[in-house]
Amino acid sequence: MSDTELESEQASHAESAVRDELLESLLTVARAHGHETNATSLVAGLPLDEAGRLTPSVFARAATRAGMTAKIVKCRLTQLNRSLLPAVLLLEPGRSCVVVDLDLESGTARVVFPELGEAETRVDLEVLTARYSGQAIYVRPRFRFDARSEQVKHRKGRNWFWSVIRENRRLYRDVVLGSVMINLFALAMPLFVLNIYDRVVPNHATETLWVLAVGIFVVLCFDLGMRLVRSSFVDLAASRADVKLSSALMSKVMGLRLEARPPSTGSFVSTLQSFESVRAFIGSATVVALVDLPFVLLFLAIVAIIGPALVIPLVVAVVVILLYALAAQSKLHDLSETSQRVSAQRNATLVESVSQLETVKSLRGESRVQDTWEKATAFLARTTAQLRMIGTSVTSVAQWTQQTASVCVIIIGVYLIIDGNLTQGGLIAAYMLTTRALAPVSQAAALLSQYHQSATALSSLDELMAQPEERPDDKAFIDRPVVQGKVRFDKLSFRYPGAEQDSLNGVSLTLKPGEKVALLGRVGCGKTTLQKLLLGLYQPTEGAVMVDGVDIRQFDPLQLRRHIGHVPQDVRLFYGSLKDNILAGAGSDGVDDDDLLRAIRISGLEELVNANPQGLDLSVGEGGQMLSGGQRQAVAIARAVVHDPSILLLDEPSSAMDHASEETLKSRLQAYSEGKTLVLVTHRTSLLSLVDRIVVMDAGRVMADGPPENILKALREGRIGRAVR
């Protein structure tokens, strides 16, 4: 490829600045290895850049979803391992390509540029090197086990927490090596004092004094540098683990199947917040204390060399500290568990009360909420006080034992000096080593209360991470970029988690592409549940939901919902602007200004947008509290149609609107929904002109199905039952 061709290729890129070249490169490599996937599945829920593009830092996570492994390397272009090709080359910022082969003899490379599709292009290595950033990504397929391998017992999969800690084992290895040096340096000061008192002072050897002083100063400088390096390594490992673990937790929360969602939001949030105690425990103080603990034996051995009798108080002190700490374990565990449960309950009360503050005030429920809060707070305070008291007692007993052991060492040492079995310098050195030997034991004992809080939190988080996800990494989804809109509910039954009876019982319905159907029925008859199942928010207990003849469990959930526009009965908005809320969700990068303006017009938001100086930047407040109920519904309608889906699910879309707004919405929806499959849940007869078929439900079953005129007549005559008003 010549420079002119490269300039032309760059110009074509400028016309499409939002192209995600890194994602397209990953798709190219995946297809080269026979892994069929789609862009939506690879980046769903991942943190992308401001332009909605994949970044090198999260490339490996996207590759995992494609059944691949990825590793970023820094090397020259000519040093790439040809046996690991194809590989992704990172070019100038935002640019990438796939190198298929390198021909060093001819000085060329076969390259696939994302904007040219799957076509290979031969490029001069000099030209490619000029654009190469120095980083490449090797992408290789993971070995896939099939059902036959399940007959052989295999080790349980890697733990989400400890696997991340193990990734930093090299840093922790350096920390251990640094600790060895630091603890060896710790011997220098006692030996320095011993030699000063036993050799320098009696002999007035000032030359030896200065030699020893220079030596100990050098050791102290090395000790300072080693401590700083060790601390920075521990903090670096902890920060790396923190980022990955926090990302894994948030990814789990976002991908959690709704059946596994905890019943209390506040308690759920409290469980997630308990990760703070885990984060604190893996910090520098804990790691340093644990790493220093084995060196207690070294210091005890040195004291025994100085004076065998002097080590007896130290051994007794270690045993006393450990026995007392172990005796407190059971109580610390129980109190930590109780404290976390009470904290979760109190947090649930707080979240529920704040989120429903208007309801609390209107019902004059402040007293009940205050009473519940104060009782939980008082119990938590008592539990925390007991936990703190036991933790403090362990620390205090350890300090008392350490000081008592020091006194005993001095007493024994005095008798040894009198008997001529110990020098004065030896006694001072042994005393200094006593403090150094028992300090790690005391620190480890003090960490026990914090350990139980962290262990309890980690246990709760383990339960969360074990819950089923919508998009498990080992499941392959089909790619359906286009949906015609045929929907079939095949003998569908469903029961909500914890419910005593089915919400749906053997429902069978078929909707043709472009058909408009209204679901009528009493409150709780299963109309909304049917829509939730079609969205893939829940899995049916029995039966299946089919779209275009394919079970929706084969769809990637994100791609499925890309084809469905949903207006929920209870509209929830996010803090931000009108535009942010209309474009909320994945895939908003495909929306242009025409799509946005069309959605605003259909929803009836034109008047609000045009009349406000901020226009689409108008803030809706937290939860949309700065908008009326009808305006919130209009926003929900706008974001349901902005992506031009094939299927529309409308659940009471005009319940908060006045008659004029409803009529305007109805006329615009009638024109927009032409050729689209529409499922309307309503109790208003005024909206039934939108549909050409009515299905009446009761107690989770289909009671009637037919043309609107026939069904409405039967309803008026009481042959079916009152379903609309």
Side-chain angles (χ1 to χ4, degrees), residues 383-405:
T383 305
T384 305
Q386 293 177 20
L387 185 63
R388 191 182 299 113
M389 183 185 69
I390 295 177
T392 303
S393 71
V394 172
T395 304
S396 300
V397 168
Q399 292 178 348
W400 176 85
T401 305
Q402 181 178 340
Q403 294 169 349
T404 302

Side-chain angles (χ1 to χ4, degrees), residues 496-719:
Y496 284 101
E500 297 182 356
Q501 60 184 12
D502 291 341
S503 297
L504 295 174
N505 191 350
V507 174
S508 293
L509 284 173
T510 299
L511 283 66
K512 299 176 183 178
E515 191 172 16
K516 314 293 186 295
V517 178
L519 299 179
L520 306 184
R522 300 181 183 181
V523 174
C525 68
K527 306 183 299 296
T528 299
T529 300
L530 211 58
Q531 290 192 339
K532 290 180 179 179
L533 290 175
L534 179 53
L535 277 166
L537 298 178
Y538 292 93
Q539 299 291 325
T541 308
E542 294 180 5
V545 181
M546 318 285 283
V547 172
D548 288 0
V550 179
D551 193 318
I552 64 169
R553 284 170 286 199
Q554 297 185 38
F555 284 79
D556 183 288
L558 192 72
Q559 193 177 49
L560 171 68
R561 292 161 197 161
R562 170 63 179 81
H563 299 304
I564 300 175
H566 180 226
V567 178
Q569 186 175 11
D570 184 15
V571 177
R572 303 289 181 91
L573 301 185
F574 302 101
Y575 179 82
S577 66
L578 272 175
K579 184 177 181 180
D580 294 335
N581 276 274
I582 294 173
L583 299 181
S588 59
D589 53 313
V591 178
D592 56 27
D593 290 342
D594 291 337
D595 295 329
L596 183 59
L597 292 175
R598 183 199 64 213
I600 292 172
R601 182 183 58 79
I602 294 172
S603 64
L605 285 173
E606 274 182 315
E607 184 177 349
L608 174 64
V609 172
N610 294 337
N612 194 287
Q614 294 177 303
L616 284 171
D617 292 328
L618 172 66
S619 176
V620 302
E622 188 172 350
Q625 62 184 359
M626 298 180 67
L627 301 180
S628 67
Q631 289 172 332
R632 287 197 293 270
Q633 282 190 323
V635 174
I637 293 168
R639 64 187 182 190
V641 304
V642 71
H643 297 297
D644 197 24
S646 304
I647 303 172
L648 284 175
L649 305 181
L650 308 181
D651 193 348
E652 301 288 359
S654 62
S655 58
M657 294 183 181
D658 57 75
H659 179 71
S661 299
E662 183 182 66
E663 288 299 316
T664 302
L665 172 66
K666 185 171 64 173
S667 63
R668 291 175 177 176
L669 277 178
Q670 194 152 22
Y672 170 74
S673 62
E674 188 68 32
K676 300 181 184 298
T677 303
L678 173 66
V679 180
L680 172 67
V681 173
T682 185
H683 288 95
R684 294 192 174 186
T685 55
S686 56
L687 290 180
L688 296 181
S689 59
L690 288 172
V691 303
D692 44 38
R693 177 182 170 192
I694 292 179
V695 175
V696 180
M697 299 184 64
D698 189 28
R701 292 182 174 87
V702 175
M703 307 304 295
D705 184 358
E709 57 274 11
N710 295 345
I711 298 297
L712 291 177
K713 181 180 179 182
L715 287 171
R716 285 192 295 268
E717 295 174 354
R719 288 185 282 124

Side-chain angles (χ1 to χ4, degrees), residues 10-263:
Q10 289 176 339
S12 66
H13 168 73
E15 297 174 358
S16 180
V18 296
R19 177 184 292 274
D20 192 342
E21 295 197 358
L22 196 56
L23 176 58
E24 293 182 24
S25 298
L26 174 57
L27 288 169
T28 299
V29 177
R31 294 190 188 104
H33 290 290
H35 289 219
E36 290 299 327
T37 184
N38 60 81
T40 303
S41 300
L42 294 184
V43 298
L46 293 182
L48 308 178
D49 65 10
E50 294 180 357
R53 295 176 300 188
L54 187 65
T55 60
S57 60
V58 296
F59 184 93
R61 293 161 67 180
T64 300
R65 297 180 175 182
M68 318 280 285
T69 60
K71 181 180 180 180
I72 299 179
V73 295
K74 291 183 178 180
C75 65
R76 295 178 181 176
L77 188 60
T78 55
Q79 294 176 334
L80 286 174
N81 190 336
R82 296 179 63 182
S83 62
L84 297 181
L85 299 181
V88 178
L89 296 185
L90 301 181
L91 307 178
E92 54 266 26
R95 305 301 310 276
S96 67
C97 66
V98 177
V99 57
V100 179
D101 187 33
L102 293 174
D103 189 347
L104 301 181
E105 294 182 1
S106 63
T108 60
R110 286 192 294 124
V111 177
V112 175
F113 288 102
E115 55 267 47
L116 299 180
E118 300 292 329
E120 295 183 5
T121 305
R122 189 163 291 277
V123 183
D124 292 336
L125 285 180
E126 293 183 1
V127 177
L128 191 59
T129 301
R131 302 177 55 191
Y132 178 49
S133 67
Q135 289 185 318
I137 306 178
Y138 289 129
V139 187
R140 303 299 298 170
R142 290 199 312 245
F143 183 79
R144 294 180 176 179
F145 292 96
D146 59 27
R148 295 170 295 180
S149 66
E150 307 228 347
Q151 299 177 10
V152 181
K153 292 184 178 180
H154 61 279
R155 188 177 60 181
K156 188 178 179 181
R158 298 194 308 166
N159 181 272
W160 69 280
F161 180 81
W162 295 111
S163 61
V164 174
I165 299 298
R166 280 196 296 270
E167 289 178 3
N168 296 294
R169 57 185 177 275
R170 293 185 179 179
L171 281 175
Y172 287 117
R173 177 201 62 192
D174 295 337
V175 169
V176 172
L177 293 176
S179 297
V180 172
M181 299 302 299
I182 290 171
N183 283 281
L184 290 177
F185 291 155
L187 298 174
M189 184 59 75
L191 295 176
F192 172 75
V193 173
L194 185 148
N195 282 281
I196 293 298
Y197 275 90
D198 291 351
R199 292 175 174 82
V200 174
V201 173
N203 300 313
H204 304 285
T206 55
E207 293 84 358
T208 304
L209 170 66
W210 282 106
V211 171
L212 292 175
V214 171
I216 194 65
F217 178 75
V218 172
V219 170
L220 291 177
C221 290
F222 275 107
D223 180 70
L224 174 62
M226 198 64 66
R227 288 179 183 275
L228 293 176
V229 171
R230 180 178 70 170
S231 178
S232 65
F233 279 7
V234 173
D235 290 339
L236 177 59
S239 63
R240 286 181 178 177
D242 181 22
V243 171
K244 293 203 69 173
L245 292 172
S246 298
S247 299
L249 280 173
M250 194 61 185
S251 177
K252 185 70 179 184
V253 172
M254 293 294 100
L256 198 65
R257 282 173 51 177
L258 291 187
E259 296 97 320
R261 181 181 61 182

Side-chain angles (χ1 to χ4, degrees), residues 366-380:
E366 296 93 339
S367 178
R368 185 187 65 83
V369 172
Q370 187 72 23
D371 180 64
T372 303
W373 173 265
E374 290 186 5
K375 285 180 179 178
T377 301
F379 187 79
L380 180 62

